[in-house]
Amino acid sequence: MRVSGAVVVIAVLDGGSGADLARRFTAAGAAGMLIADQHVGIAEDLAAELDRPGCPVVGVSGDIRRPSDVAALVDTAEKHLGPIDLFCVAGPKGERIVSLADLPDHLDLERLAELVALIGEAIGELVPPQRRPAGSTATAA
């Protein structure tokens, strides 16, 4: 997995933390990051701390269990940082990194659906079953 020069999205689930992951990506030479957290202010504060020339960092509130929030994250990342290379999910049981190398530079609706499916798999790996919201379709891979 190539991090140097990559645009990275880090989505933090309830009970997870993206701070260490974001710091590792910054140290490894990421070209830009978007950090999303379900709790207002958390991602924004971390982004302000890590933002620097050569690696702009954007922080937003969002819940990646909602496809509309995933679409908004993709739009925001592409608008401010360019095409996404890595999409990371940080949950209470760790983190999962999804490489988007096989997806086109711009995510159309069909590719966005594929991304949502990959994120669902990642959530299933990182969220204990008893912590999943009622009606969640995320399952362990």
Side-chain angles (χ1 to χ4, degrees):
M1 169 181 54
R2 186 176 154 269
V3 175
S4 180
V7 171
V8 181
V9 171
I10 300 172
V12 181
L13 296 169
D14 200 25
S17 172
D20 290 337
L21 186 59
R23 287 183 180 94
R24 290 195 317 258
F25 280 125
T26 300
M33 276 189 292
L34 181 136
I35 304 167
D37 196 291
Q38 295 171 307
H39 303 286
V40 175
I42 301 291
E44 294 87 339
D45 290 347
L46 182 58
E49 174 191 331
L50 297 177
D51 188 56
R52 62 177 174 76
C55 183
V57 182
V58 177
V60 298
S61 298
D63 184 349
I64 61 165
R65 295 173 298 177
R66 295 186 194 127
S68 61
D69 282 12
V70 173
L73 294 178
V74 168
D75 287 344
T76 301
E78 289 183 341
K79 177 181 176 185
H80 293 282
L81 306 169
I84 300 167
D85 299 300
L86 302 171
F87 199 109
C88 311
V89 178
K93 290 175 58 178
E95 54 204 37
R96 168 95 190 278
I97 301 169
V98 176
S99 174
L100 302 185
D102 296 332
L103 296 176
D105 286 346
H106 178 72
L107 294 174
D108 58 25
L109 290 178
E110 183 178 322
R111 293 298 189 177
L112 183 59
E114 291 177 28
L115 176 59
V116 170
L118 290 171
I119 293 167
E121 290 174 19
I123 291 170
E125 292 176 11
L126 299 176
V127 178
Q130 67 273 17
R131 298 220 27 212
R132 290 187 195 133
S136 173
T137 57
T139 58

